[in-house]
C-alpha cells in the first residue's frame, strides 16, 4: 500500500468540523498552538470530502487533490468491511470508480477569520519583519478589512546595495477581494505614493509584487479589502523575500 499511497490523518477539531470544540481550539491557540491553514488546497479538499454527520471519514485524494473515494467510519459494512474490503475500497478509488462519492459532496466551510483574530491565533496589527542575508525570507499570516489598511512593516536595511523585494500574496476564502500596496515607510498611505501594487485579488487566489530597491530601506505593505461594507474581513498569507536583482541580458 505504501507504494501507491501517502497515509496521514488530521483531527476534526483542528479543522473545526466539530462546532462544540471551538472553545477548545481557541484555548489551544491562546496557549501557542499554530492554527491549521484552512485555505490550503489540501485542507479544502479534505473539507469538501466530509460526509454530513459522520464522525470520521477515510478519504482518497489524487496528487492533484481530486477526491477519488470516501469511506465514512460508520459505514464500513459490505463490501468494504475488513482488510479485504478496505483494499477493495482503495483499488476502486484508484480505478476511478469513486466509491462513496455518489452522494452530494459538501462545500468547504468558510474560515471564521473574526474568531481567529479574537482568539489571538492571528494578529492584525504590529506586524513587523526584518530580512537579512542570513534570513532573506519570512511569512506573514494575518487578515485585512474593507476600507482600512492592515500594515506589515518590512525592514530590508541590511541590504545596503539593494535587491529585489518579492511579495507573494495568497488570499483567504471569505467573500472579500484584496488590494496590496507597497509604500516607503515615511510617506502618507495615499494612492500617489504607492510604489507597487497587486490589485483586486479574488478569494483563494494569489499574486506577486516585485519591487527593485537600490539601497537598504524600510517599507510598508498595506492590505485592504475592496468593499463598501466596513465589517467585511478576509485572511491573507504573504511570503516576503529579498532576491538578487536579475542581470540585464544583452540584446
Amino acid at each position: 500500500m505504501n507504494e501507491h499511497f501517502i497515509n496521514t490523518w488530521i483531527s476534526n477539531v483542528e479543522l473545526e468540523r466539530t462546532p462544540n470544540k471551538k472553545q477548545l481550539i481557541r484555548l489551544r491557540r491562546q496557549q501557542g498552538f499554530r492554527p491549521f491553514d484552512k485555505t490550503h488546497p489540501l485542507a479544502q479538499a479534505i473539507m469538501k470530502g466530509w460526509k454530513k454527520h459522520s464522525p470520521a471519514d477515510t478519504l482518497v485524494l489524487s496528487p492533484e487533490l481530486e477526491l477519488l473515494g470516501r469511506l465514512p467510519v460508520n459505514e464500513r459494512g459490505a463490501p468494504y468491511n475488513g482488510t479485504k474490503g478496505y483494499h477493495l475500497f482503495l483499488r476502486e478509488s484508484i480505478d476511478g470508480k469513486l466509491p462513496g462519492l455518489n452522494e452530494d459532496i459538501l462545500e468547504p466551510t468558510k474560515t471564521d477569520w473574526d474568531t481567529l483574530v479574537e482568539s489571538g491565533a492571528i494578529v492584525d496589527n504590529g506586524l513587523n519583519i526584518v530580512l537579512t542575508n542570513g534570513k532573506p525570507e519570512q511569512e506573514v499570516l494575518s487578515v485585512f478589512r474593507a476600507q482600512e489598511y492592515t500594515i506589515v512593516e518590512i525592514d530590508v536595511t541590511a541590504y545596503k546595495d539593494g535587491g529585489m523585494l518579492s511579495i507573494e500574496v495568497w488570499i483567504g476564502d471569505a467573500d472579500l477581494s484584496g488590494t496590496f500596496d507597497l509604500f516607503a515607510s515615511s510617506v502618507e498611505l495615499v494612492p500617489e505614493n504607492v510604489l507597487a501594487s497587486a490589485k483586486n485579488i479574488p478569494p483563494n487566489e494569489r499574486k506577486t509584487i516585485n519591487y527593485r530597491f537600490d539601497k537598504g530601506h524600510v517599507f510598508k505593505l498595506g492590505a485592504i479589502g475592496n468593499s463598501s461594507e466596513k465589517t467585511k474581513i478576509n485572511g491573507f498569507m504573504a511570503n516576503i523575500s529579498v532576491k538578487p536583482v536579475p542581470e540585464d541580458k544583452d540584446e
Side-chain angles (χ1 to χ4, degrees):
M1 191 168 77
N2 289 337
E3 294 180 2
H4 301 285
F5 298 92
I6 299 174
N7 301 289
T8 188
W9 66 274
I10 182 169
S11 166
N12 280 333
V13 176
E14 289 296 328
L15 283 178
E16 299 181 13
R17 184 180 183 180
T18 48
N20 60 326
K21 300 294 185 182
K22 284 191 175 182
Q23 182 63 35
L24 172 61
I25 197 66
R26 185 180 297 114
L27 178 61
R28 292 182 64 194
R29 288 170 178 170
Q30 288 173 346
Q31 295 172 343
F33 285 84
R34 185 174 181 180
F36 195 95
D37 181 11
K38 294 199 295 185
T39 67
H40 192 283
L42 176 57
Q44 291 285 300
I46 293 170
M47 293 159 67
K48 183 179 180 182
W50 285 342
K51 182 170 182 179
K52 192 173 183 179
H53 304 309
S54 174
D57 300 305
T58 296
L59 303 175
V60 177
L61 303 173
S62 74
E64 293 76 29
L65 303 182
E66 297 174 312
L67 274 169
L68 301 179
R70 175 179 61 194
L71 184 58
V73 68
N74 290 341
E75 299 179 17
R76 289 187 177 175
Y80 302 124
N81 55 320
T83 302
K84 291 183 179 180
Y86 187 65
H87 285 172
L88 173 64
F89 164 70
L90 296 178
R91 287 198 304 271
E92 288 186 352
S93 297
I94 290 179
D95 292 341
K97 295 181 180 179
L98 304 178
L101 294 178
N102 295 324
E103 308 164 29
D104 292 337
I105 299 297
L106 297 178
E107 289 296 320
T109 56
K110 297 290 186 180
T111 305
D112 189 346
W113 296 102
D114 278 311
T115 297
L116 292 177
V117 173
E118 291 171 3
S119 69
I122 289 181
V123 178
D124 62 343
N125 56 54
L127 300 169
N128 302 290
I129 69 168
V130 179
L131 301 180
T132 65
N133 287 309
K135 192 174 182 179
E137 180 177 348
Q138 289 190 49
E139 283 188 349
V140 173
L141 176 63
S142 189
V143 297
F144 61 90
R145 296 175 172 80
Q147 302 185 38
E148 179 183 356
Y149 272 124
T150 294
I151 301 295
V152 182
E153 186 175 280
I154 306 171
D155 186 334
V156 293
T157 53
Y159 294 88
K160 305 210 179 279
D161 297 325
M164 180 69 73
L165 179 61
S166 180
I167 306 169
E168 186 174 14
V169 178
W170 293 265
I171 299 296
D173 57 355
D175 184 22
L176 180 63
S177 60
T179 288
F180 290 74
D181 297 322
L182 185 68
F183 300 89
S185 63
S186 58
V187 303
E188 187 179 356
L189 305 184
V190 293
E192 52 266 30
N193 290 332
V194 173
L195 300 173
S197 286
K199 296 186 178 298
N200 302 318
I201 310 175
N204 292 314
E205 294 195 16
R206 68 180 70 184
K207 283 188 180 180
T208 300
I209 300 172
N210 289 312
Y211 181 75
R212 180 173 178 171
F213 61 98
D214 296 327
K215 61 180 181 179
H217 202 75
V218 177
F219 296 98
K220 287 183 178 179
L221 177 68
I224 192 168
N226 303 315
S227 174
S228 59
E229 298 180 41
K230 292 183 178 181
T231 57
K232 283 199 170 185
I233 184 173
N234 200 355
F236 74 92
M237 179 179 287
N239 182 285
I240 305 172
S241 62
V242 173
K243 301 176 181 179
V245 177
E247 294 183 4
D248 295 330
K249 295 182 180 180
D250 295 331
E251 296 184 0

